[in-house]
Amino acid sequence: MTAVATTGAVSPRNGARSGLVVSRSYQGATWVGAGGVAGVALLAALPLFASQGFVTNLVNLLILVAIATMWNALAGYVGLVSVGQQLYIGTGAYIVLVLAQNGVGAFAGLGLAIVGSALLAIPASWLVFRLSGAYFAIATWVLSQVAMLFVERFTSLGGGTGAPVPGLDVFGPGKLLEYTYWAALGVAVLSVISVYLLLRSRLGLVLTAVRDNEVGARSVGAHVLAAKRVVYVLAAAGCAGAGAVIAISTLDVEPNNVFSVQWTAYMLFAVLIGGIGTIEGPVIGAVAFFVLQQVLAQYNAWYLIVLGCVAMAMAIWARRGVWGLLATRLRLELFPVGYRVRLEERSTKKAGGT
Amino acid sequence: MTLLELDCVTKRFGRVTVAESLSLEVAETELLGVVGPNGAGKTSLFSIISGDLEPDEGRVVFAGQVINRLGSASRCRLGIGRTYQVPRPFERMTVFENVLVAAQEGAGLRGRASGEQAYSSLETTGLAADANRPAGSLGLLSRKRLEMARALATRPRLLLLDEVAAGLTDPEVSELVAIVRWARSGASGAQPVAVVWVEHVVRALSGTTDRLICLDSGSVIADGRPEDVLADPAVRDVFLGTDEVTPARAQAEGPEVMHRESPTAAQQHSAQQHGAQQHSAQSPSARSLGTQPVGGQ
Ligand SMILES: Nc1ncnc2c1ncn2[C@@H]1O[C@H](COP(=O)(O)OP(=O)(O)O)[C@@H](O)[C@H]1O
Ligand SMILES: [Mg+2]
């Protein structure tokens, strides 16, 4: 505690601190950024040389990246453990379907699905935010079920069996897959970037604080509920984008599929193995989950057993997931959102601090 | 001028009463010490003021405004900064980021000004050297400092300190006292603040505060100058059976300690005296009773 002898408590005020330097990015951030751009460009060019089967698989992976990223923003940062994000996957898909039935192209419908679902999420948040913890979780699931029962009442939407998305046959099968893939890539990349930009913003500092200690965040003046609402609406938008892509890639919208709680299981699993509360975690988790799925798919029931064991092992021994293990070992950060501060020595001023 | 006023505030958890029709005023720039045994309701009192706990009855008035319906974030923005007895650091953020949130959200500062405020709070509390460390890697003393730095960075008009000295050695306590004095004097560049300082360790408070209140079972059982309050029989009853009497007094009270009452009996006893003591808090003549020599009862 000797270092504290020079605290402000005894030292006079150090004048205007012109030497205070607050910086955001870390060394190597430009390389990571360049790598990211190159990676996305490579992914975008993939349909030009990869097999159709592979591209189809990647569509599913990109959907998973988007929804896992959004679930992580909810549960990993602001503590909203939703098990009802399929509500927005469903609304996204159904908005595309309804618009397509009325002559709007499916890909234009995707944009409207995102906006429409985000708008829907605002009144929905009034409802579910009245509850917290387990009650919140249950409420989100109930809401998704209510939405499913609601759309099933419309015979024009195919009732309980669903309906095909009209108008997709104007593209040839090859072209449709390409466009679908690019849409999926767009939704996934936008999801990650929007969460990253959100976390880098002033609100992001609040979200990170809420992640670490919600009561503490309130006590320093953070309007936590408003911050949660922003994340909830963003997550609705991202999941709706994913839902729209699902509708397009499966060529039809089935209520039992798009409103299935299985989506929540996927996003949850991806986030938990990747590392909750980081931007990188859900992306890596989605890839890991996807690879496991591909490798184990041939073993039927074993597939689920192994996935379950992996999830349990991670929960017990690696709470912070694959990314948590990697990041602390390698001191690595692909998406720098933090701040660094230092005092630049100025000869004109008395050296401040320690 | 009165900055904070509690008006007949009552809060119960089932059969536990943490505030019993409690009234209290804190003047602008006052340093008020609060002592009381474990479970007296000191932390709960802070939570009621800061908005973490909603009282069952009564009003909380801050700077002339009834704030009962405001959440803790809004109260912080109005100028109520608090620390937590059990520190609540944002563990995966750096120390600087911890304080930066407070400067941005609590004090409403942006950009450069928020960074300056955050860093100056770290300097005041002696944490500047740790600015870029993750808060989760801090030891207990530093965590308590961080609690203070965060509260200070919100630019409070009222600072609530909850047992920031507990568990610290004597020199560390002196340092902390110096920090509080420094922050309070307004020398750190901000406006002067009123401080309410809860401490189980009486020695941290006795030389520091102008006024001391003793809380027991959710009631103020004594209110006045520190030496008067500590000499008050009701206060000494409450603290008997604990090791919180100052050493000199503990020795002087040797014989008394031999037949000390059980804690519950002491509490009942103090509850009986409670009415009279509340009265003494209001009437200067009655308050002088408390200045009787320790051995005089
Ligand atoms: N949230 C709560 N629920 C139930 N009882 C509580 C709660 N918070 C505090 N208490 C009880 O209220 C009493 C006063 O607690 P507290 O205010 O922390 O006392 P102090 O800070 O003076 O030690 C204790 O008996 C404690 O167990
Ligand atoms: Mg306490």
Side-chain angles (χ1 to χ4, degrees):
Chain A
M1 281 310 117
T2 46
V4 196
T6 56
T7 61
V10 282
S11 70
R13 202 178 162 223
N14 291 324
R17 220 170 277 92
S18 52
L20 188 72
V21 180
V22 179
S23 53
R24 300 299 306 271
S25 306
Y26 300 93
Q27 279 182 342
T30 33
W31 290 108
V32 171
V37 171
V40 171
L42 185 72
L43 279 175
L46 207 83
L48 305 179
F49 48 84
S51 77
Q52 288 208 349
F54 188 64
V55 173
T56 309
N57 277 339
L58 278 188
V59 169
N60 293 327
L61 169 60
L62 290 167
I63 289 168
L64 188 58
V65 167
I67 61 178
T69 295
M70 289 308 169
W71 194 79
N72 175 56
L74 281 172
Y77 282 90
V78 287
L80 292 174
V81 182
S82 166
V83 293
Q85 286 312 100
Q86 61 274 16
L87 167 62
Y88 298 107
I89 295 177
T91 52
Y94 269 95
I95 289 174
V96 165
L97 174 63
V98 170
L99 289 173
Q101 286 178 342
N102 291 286
V104 181
F107 292 98
L110 187 150
L112 291 168
I114 291 174
V115 175
S117 300
L119 291 176
L120 269 177
I122 296 170
S125 77
W126 297 335
L127 219 60
V128 291
F129 279 18
R130 301 182 76 92
L131 305 165
S132 61
Y135 296 99
F136 169 82
I138 292 165
T140 56
W141 177 78
V142 168
L143 215 53
S144 75
Q145 291 300 293
V146 169
M148 182 176 86
L149 294 173
F150 176 75
V151 296
E152 280 181 356
R153 297 185 60 88
F154 291 88
T155 44
S156 63
L157 300 175
T161 50
V165 180
L168 287 174
D169 41 4
V170 298
F171 314 100
K175 274 278 170 259
L176 178 61
L177 178 61
E178 264 178 35
Y179 292 161
T180 308
Y181 171 80
W182 284 326
L185 183 63
V187 168
V189 169
L190 270 181
S191 295
V192 175
I193 287 180
S194 59
V195 168
Y196 173 54
L197 291 181
L198 179 66
L199 287 174
R200 264 185 83 95
S201 73
R202 193 172 66 81
L203 187 60
L205 201 60
V206 170
L207 300 180
T208 326
V210 173
R211 172 194 68 187
D212 288 0
N213 198 309
E214 187 171 332
V215 175
R218 279 206 184 91
S219 81
V220 297
H223 282 311
V224 172
L225 194 67
K228 285 185 173 180
R229 205 181 306 277
V230 170
V231 175
Y232 185 77
V233 170
L234 176 68
C239 288
V245 173
I246 291 167
I248 295 168
S249 74
T250 55
L251 306 175
D252 63 359
V253 177
E254 285 173 43
N256 288 322
N257 174 32
V258 292
F259 285 109
S260 167
V261 74
Q262 164 189 304
W263 295 112
T264 290
Y266 289 166
M267 41 185 120
L268 202 146
F269 187 87
V271 169
L272 291 187
I273 53 176
I276 192 164
T278 60
I279 300 174
E280 298 87 349
V283 179
I284 291 181
V287 174
F289 176 59
F290 185 74
V291 170
L292 273 177
Q293 224 179 5
Q294 299 298 316
V295 171
L296 298 171
Q298 45 188 315
Y299 301 109
N300 291 327
W302 281 104
Y303 149 71
L304 286 175
I305 292 168
V306 172
L307 278 187
C309 289
V310 169
M312 279 207 315
M314 298 295 294
I316 294 168
W317 289 297
R319 277 285 173 80
R320 289 173 61 182
V322 174
W323 181 250
L325 293 176
L326 280 177
T328 43
R329 293 271 148 83
L330 309 174
R331 310 187 112 263
L332 203 64
E333 196 173 31
L334 296 184
F335 295 96
V337 294
Y339 294 78
R340 280 276 176 282
V341 64
R342 74 197 146 82
L343 269 189
E344 219 146 60
E345 298 291 332
R346 293 264 169 112
S347 50
T348 48
K349 296 272 177 212
K350 194 174 83 80
T354 44
Chain B
M1 230 191 86
T2 306
L3 181 62
L4 174 78
E5 185 191 347
L6 298 189
D7 183 17
C8 289
V9 168
T10 298
K11 176 73 191 176
R12 293 192 181 84
F13 292 112
R15 285 155 78 193
V16 181
T17 304
V18 294
E20 172 78 64
S21 190
L22 195 150
S23 294
L24 181 68
E25 284 190 16
V26 181
E28 266 171 16
T29 76
E30 181 174 13
L31 203 171
L32 171 67
V34 180
V35 293
N38 268 326
K42 305 182 296 294
T43 297
S44 305
L45 174 68
F46 273 12
S47 297
I48 288 169
I49 299 171
S50 71
D52 290 326
L53 260 188
E54 208 182 317
D56 302 329
E57 287 162 36
R59 294 190 314 156
V60 185
V61 185
F62 182 74
Q65 182 186 352
V66 179
I67 56 170
N68 279 49
R69 304 197 53 125
L70 293 184
S72 44
S74 304
R75 294 191 196 192
C76 171
R77 289 176 182 208
L78 272 184
I80 300 178
R82 82 166 286 183
T83 70
Y84 287 92
Q85 182 175 359
V86 180
R88 296 178 170 276
F90 308 130
E91 298 208 3
R92 285 160 73 184
M93 298 168 80
T94 68
V95 169
F96 177 72
E97 287 160 1
N98 266 259
V99 187
L100 189 64
V101 196
Q104 295 194 344
E105 300 306 314
L109 299 171
R110 300 282 176 273
R112 185 160 188 85
S114 63
E116 301 264 347
Q117 170 66 61
Y119 198 79
S120 106
S121 298
L122 290 181
E123 281 186 326
T124 304
T125 50
L127 277 174
D130 296 319
N132 293 318
R133 275 175 66 181
S137 71
L138 296 178
L140 179 65
L141 173 60
S142 296
R143 281 171 189 241
K144 297 215 164 192
R145 288 173 186 280
L146 182 57
E147 283 288 312
M148 285 187 53
R150 259 179 12 189
L152 286 173
T154 67
R155 294 206 169 156
R157 295 175 66 187
L158 172 68
L159 182 59
L160 308 171
L161 301 175
D162 197 351
E163 307 215 5
V164 281
L168 305 186
T169 63
D170 277 348
E172 289 169 348
V173 170
S174 317
E175 259 172 40
L176 220 63
V177 169
I179 292 171
V180 173
R181 284 214 177 111
W182 164 259
R184 191 169 90 88
S185 67
S188 59
Q191 82 257 43
V193 288
V195 179
V196 182
W197 189 349
V198 161
E199 206 60 70
H200 198 69
V201 188
V202 179
R203 73 191 137 89
L205 290 180
S206 44
T208 314
T209 64
D210 331 317
R211 182 180 153 211
L212 195 64
I213 63 174
C214 179
L215 216 59
D216 186 34
S217 308
S219 299
V220 178
I221 60 166
D223 182 341
R225 284 166 44 206
E227 57 273 27
D228 298 346
V229 168
L230 292 178
D232 193 302
V235 174
R236 291 171 53 226
D237 265 342
V238 161
F239 276 106
L240 276 177
T242 73
D243 53 3
E244 293 306 328
V245 196
T246 51
R249 284 217 174 83
Q251 275 161 19
E253 287 159 3
E256 220 172 330
V257 178
M258 298 296 285
H259 54 88
R260 66 185 171 201
E261 294 158 287
S262 71
T264 46
Q267 272 172 19
Q268 281 163 7
H269 183 46
S270 71
Q272 284 158 12
Q273 295 201 343
H274 155 218
Q277 287 301 326
Q278 254 200 342
H279 180 67
S280 83
Q282 291 147 6
S283 129
S285 59
R287 193 189 298 168
S288 65
L289 286 174
T291 60
Q292 282 176 352
V294 173
Q297 57 172 310

